[in-house]
Every structure is written in structure tokens, then in C-alpha cells.
């Protein structure tokens, strides 16, 4: 049997099961979901009768895709000090080759962002083969703060 529940309820139930989150009595929880396309914040009510979503708000431009695009822009600004013509072409791509290179750069940024879970710095390869740009946790934290402030 398949049961469909709201994502915030599923997240809360998962936390109860995997971390031992204790929900005693009447409680309110703030549940956040950071997905590729959006960032959602929900208020979940936990009571004897179970879990219920009171309200949710979604920022469609607050997801991981937007984060990676913003990080890519930051890295292109750094690349501009070494190869301004490449950085300019990727900042505003006008032909299919440059669009492809921009998508590849963003994929490299996403992988580098994943490496920052265990490392302080990750190198991001660029279309300028001789230039890799470092992405560090401080930059990631700064960009996340800017995105949160914009929401």
C-alpha cells in the first residue's frame, strides 16, 4: 500500500525515525526543504493526532539551481582576472558552444559544492584549460547568506 503525505510531514516523520526527534504533546516545527528548483519553509503542527502542515511558503528562485548559477557568476568574476575574454563569453553566452561551456561550468560548480562538505576548498575547472578557480566554504556561506537575504 502506498500512502502519500505532504513533504514537510514526511521530513518530520523521517527525523523522528532516524534521529529520535521527540515530539511530546502540542508542538510547532519549522521544516525547510532545499531542492534544485526551490526553497520551501513549512510550519508543521505535531499533536497527539499526528502531524499536519499549517502553512508553507516557497521561494522558486531560492533552490540549488539558483545557488549554483550564483556561484558560477562569482567564479567567472575571478576567472576574468586571468582570462577576461572567456569570462565575458560565459557570463553572457550568445552561441551554442558557449552555452554548453556555461552548463559544464555550472556542473563543475555543483560537484565542487558537494566536496565542500568534507573539504575547505575545492578547485573548479574552467573552459580555459590552464585555469582552475578555487571555491571555498567562506564563499559558499556568503552566497547562501545573500540568497537568504533576497528571499
Amino acid at each position: 500500500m502506498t500512502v502519500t503525505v505532504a513533504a514537510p510531514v514526511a521530513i518530520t516523520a523521517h527525523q523522528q525515525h532516524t534521529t529520535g526527534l521527540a515530539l511530546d504533546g502540542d508542538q510547532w516545527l519549522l521544516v525547510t526543504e532545499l531542492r534544485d528548483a526551490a526553497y520551501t519553509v513549512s510550519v508543521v503542527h505535531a499533536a497527539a493526532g499526528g502531524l499536519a502542515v499549517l502553512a508553507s511558503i516557497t521561494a522558486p528562485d531560492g533552490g540549488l539551481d539558483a545557488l549554483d548559477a550564483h556561484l558560477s557568476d562569482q567564479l567567472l568574476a575571478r576567472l576574468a582576472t586571468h582570462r577576461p575574454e572567456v569570462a565575458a563569453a560565459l557570463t553572457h553566452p550568445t552561441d551554442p558552444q558557449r552555452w554548453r561551456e556555461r552548463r559544464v561550468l555550472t556542473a563543475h560548480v555543483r560537484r565542487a559544492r558537494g566536496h565542500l562538505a568534507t573539504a575547505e576548498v575545492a578547485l573548479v575547472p574552467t573552459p580555459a584549460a590552464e585555469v582552475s578557480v578555487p571555491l571555498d566554504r567562506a564563499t559558499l556561506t556568503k552566497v547562501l547568506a545573500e540568497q537568504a537575504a533576497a528571499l
Side-chain angles (χ1 to χ4, degrees):
M1 177 170 93
T2 301
V3 176
T4 303
V5 297
V9 170
I11 291 167
T12 304
H14 177 76
Q15 288 298 314
Q16 282 181 288
H17 179 72
T18 59
T19 68
L21 174 67
L23 298 177
D24 302 320
D26 197 32
Q27 292 181 312
W28 300 91
L29 299 125
L30 191 62
V31 177
T32 62
E33 300 172 72
L34 181 58
R35 299 182 313 269
D36 285 344
Y39 178 69
T40 301
V41 178
S42 302
V43 177
V44 175
H45 182 232
L51 302 169
V53 178
L54 175 67
S56 290
I57 186 167
T58 297
D61 294 330
L64 293 171
D65 291 341
L67 173 64
D68 293 335
H70 194 92
L71 286 169
S72 294
D73 289 342
Q74 295 264 330
L75 294 180
L76 286 171
R78 290 185 196 167
L79 178 62
T81 63
H82 302 284
R83 296 288 301 277
E85 71 287 352
V86 174
L90 294 179
T91 299
H92 303 291
T94 57
D95 64 72
Q97 176 63 27
R98 291 302 188 184
W99 277 109
R100 188 187 74 70
E101 290 173 352
R102 175 65 188 231
R103 285 191 303 276
V104 168
L105 176 67
T106 301
H108 288 311
V109 165
R110 183 165 281 202
R111 273 193 293 288
R113 182 175 45 78
H115 290 300
L116 292 179
T118 57
E120 287 295 322
V121 177
L123 288 177
V124 179
T126 69
E130 71 282 3
V131 180
S132 290
V133 181
L135 174 62
D136 57 37
R137 284 188 191 170
T139 301
L140 177 60
T141 301
K142 178 182 173 231
V143 171
L144 282 169
E146 289 170 358
Q147 266 193 292
L151 300 177

